[in-house]
Amino acid sequence: KDVEEFTHPSGALQKVASGIVSPGDTEDQKARKLYAAVQKLDNTAFSRTRSEAERKRERLKIIHQADDIWKNRSGDEDDIALLFIALARSVDLKVFPVQVVNRDRAMFDGRYLSTRQLNDFLADIIIDGKDVYLDPGQKMCPYGSLHWKHTLASGFQLGDKDPIVTPAISFKNAVVHRVADLTVDPDGAVKGTARYVMTGPDALHWRQLSLENDQDEVKKQFKEAMKDDFPDGVQAEFDRFQGLDDPSAGLVALVNISGNIGSVTGKRFFLPGLFFESRGKHPFVASDKRITPVDVHYAKLEQDDVTYHLPQRYTIESAPQPSNTAWPEHALLKISSTPSGNDLKITRSLAYNFTLLEPTEYPALHDFYQKVATADQQQLALTRIPAAKGN
């Protein structure tokens, strides 16, 4: 009852909403425009909360209705989610508040008859007869997406449905694509660049972190996050993000690479076959049994493209073997290598399309990741070409 009263479209909000949308807009166009409008507001969940004295000085109203959020141009994550619902109702869109358990904190227990376990508000808007779940209270979250903590989350739609479970994230919408271009000298020195291209939850994480922290802290945390992505002896210096302020585009992190990567033994030269995975910490490998469920937060696609520019007078003796390892309907690992003159391109793709697994499924998960760990430890071996003898 409280939520229905809070989101009831007032005359003032109807005027606001009619100024944002156009009469000829489709339902989807109206929803997108309103979503973009509330995303521009100051979301105090990602900024400093004002003191009472500051609120009085800035003439900010105490929030009683959705109108007050718009007048203040600010609110917390639930305020902004409910404001979106009120604005959508103002232009006759069919939309319902949804309250779910934050999956980063707990799982819904239907036997516990208390609404105190419900945390956050989402919006369930009906577009062309289909449910579209939106997360307007999550700053920088693209339209049509949910923060991972609100996916596969149980709760209640305050409308005409039974208890609901929100949709999962597809691995196709949660991608980290790592691209490296590396020049290797005969003494093992390496120099080049790496790019991380992120869409979905990883991009949202760094965008939200940048709202709550200064640039130096974000750079420090990204450097810490990527430290195990590079072989021993390699230094990776994070340069900058591109696209940090545009949630509709992929987020790109630029990294400079230097150091020493090779190991020379007699006539042979050894390099990590899977550059980004030579120090990889593979989950689920060490323990062969498990009695609790597995939660990996969200499905994901990891793609690596590494180009080695190899030293002159060396030929490729052995490269990482092609791999096409599958856990049917759950995960897939693909590895390939393509030589071209003194260059070698190695690609790796790991897709896992699961989020929650029961302990009974753990043996298959353990077996798959053992195969992944073995494949990722392959080396690239080069052989020195003897110098041509003179006459």
Side-chain angles (χ1 to χ4, degrees):
K1 181 180 177 182
D2 291 340
V3 171
E4 288 298 319
E5 290 178 355
F6 190 91
T7 57
H8 182 74
S10 65
L13 277 187
Q14 289 175 340
K15 186 176 180 179
V16 169
S18 63
I20 296 172
V21 304
S22 301
D25 286 342
T26 64
E27 292 178 339
D28 182 64
Q29 288 171 331
K30 289 179 181 179
R32 287 178 182 273
K33 288 182 177 180
L34 295 174
Y35 188 89
V38 301
Q39 279 280 305
K40 293 177 182 177
L41 303 182
D42 175 26
N43 189 325
T44 57
F46 300 94
S47 62
R48 185 177 60 83
T49 303
R50 293 173 175 81
S51 67
E52 193 61 34
E54 287 176 314
R55 293 183 66 84
K56 288 182 179 179
R57 187 165 59 249
E58 296 176 29
R59 297 181 180 179
L60 297 177
K61 299 173 68 68
I62 297 174
I63 294 174
H64 295 293
Q65 298 291 328
D67 307 55
D68 300 321
I69 304 166
W70 185 263
K71 291 173 184 175
N72 290 344
R73 307 293 294 173
S74 72
D76 65 23
E77 46 201 327
D78 283 345
D79 292 335
I80 290 176
L82 294 175
L83 170 62
F84 170 79
I85 292 166
L87 287 169
R89 288 177 168 179
S90 298
V91 291
D92 298 323
L93 291 175
K94 189 176 182 181
V95 59
F96 301 98
V98 175
Q99 196 172 22
V100 298
V101 178
N102 175 349
R103 194 160 59 81
D104 197 24
R105 297 175 55 187
M107 297 295 287
F108 180 76
D109 186 351
R111 299 165 298 178
Y112 178 43
L113 304 182
S114 173
T115 57
R116 291 181 181 179
Q117 63 179 313
L118 302 176
N119 304 118
D120 302 332
F121 279 102
L122 312 175
D124 175 14
I125 190 164
I126 312 302
I127 303 292
D128 297 328
K130 297 180 180 179
D131 294 275
V132 178
Y133 289 92
L134 302 176
D135 212 341
Q138 288 295 310
K139 191 79 169 177
M140 306 296 284
C141 187
Y143 177 90
S145 301
L146 298 175
H147 191 290
W148 76 260
K149 66 185 180 182
H150 295 148
T151 62
L152 289 179
S154 300
F156 291 91
Q157 185 224 62
L158 306 185
D160 55 2
K161 283 189 175 67
D162 291 331
I164 58 96
V165 178
T166 56
I169 297 175
S170 167
F171 71 92
K172 297 177 182 179
N173 297 323
V175 181
V176 175
H177 188 188
R178 301 179 294 192
V179 182
D181 188 86
L182 307 168
T183 298
V184 183
D185 292 341
D187 61 357
V190 63
K191 191 171 185 180
T193 60
R195 289 184 294 121
Y196 289 64
V197 184
M198 296 168 277
T199 59
D202 286 85
L204 179 59
H205 168 76
W206 293 108
R207 286 185 169 120
Q208 291 187 339
L209 195 70
S210 71
L211 296 174
E212 302 171 283
N213 298 274
D214 60 32
Q215 184 178 2
D216 289 340
E217 178 62 22
V218 175
K219 291 184 72 170
K220 176 184 174 183
Q221 292 199 32
F222 190 81
K223 187 173 182 178
E224 179 69 20
M226 69 175 184
K227 69 178 183 179
D228 290 330
D229 289 356
F230 303 99
D232 291 331
V234 171
Q235 290 79 50
E237 287 299 324
F238 173 53
D239 183 7
R240 66 189 186 279
F241 281 121
Q242 291 180 336
L244 198 60
D245 299 325
D246 184 5
S248 65
L251 176 65
V252 181
L254 303 178
V255 180
N256 295 316
I257 304 295
S258 62
N260 193 289
I261 194 176
S263 173
V264 180
T265 305
K267 296 180 180 180
R268 288 184 172 83
F269 191 173
F270 296 95
L271 299 169
L274 285 302
F275 178 75
F276 288 109
E277 295 297 330
S278 64
R279 294 174 60 193
K281 295 180 179 178
H282 297 89
F284 316 117
V285 171
S287 301
D288 57 0
K289 295 181 180 179
R290 189 179 179 102
I291 60 174
T292 57
V294 172
D295 182 352
V296 297
H297 292 175
Y298 49 89
K300 189 174 182 179
L301 173 60
E302 300 173 355
Q303 293 179 308
D304 293 341
D305 289 303
V306 177
T307 300
Y308 281 121
H309 302 289
L310 302 173
Q312 297 293 324
R313 302 193 61 78
Y314 278 90
T315 184
I316 299 171
E317 179 180 312
S318 63
Q321 294 299 303
S323 175
N324 195 349
T325 303
W327 178 18
E329 300 182 3
H330 287 81
L332 177 65
L333 172 70
K334 286 188 175 183
I335 295 174
S336 67
S337 56
T338 307
S340 176
N342 259 55
D343 294 345
L344 179 65
K345 183 175 182 179
I346 300 173
T347 63
R348 174 186 184 271
S349 177
L350 174 62
Y352 55 94
N353 197 30
F354 60 87
T355 302
L356 303 172
L357 296 174
E358 294 299 326
T360 53
E361 298 176 278
Y362 184 74
L365 175 69
H366 172 67
D367 178 66
F368 175 76
Y369 271 91
Q370 279 189 316
K371 294 174 182 176
V372 172
T374 300
D376 284 345
Q377 292 306 307
Q378 297 181 79
Q379 286 189 314
L380 168 61
L382 309 178
T383 302
R384 188 169 64 242
I385 302 173
K389 295 182 180 180
N391 293 327

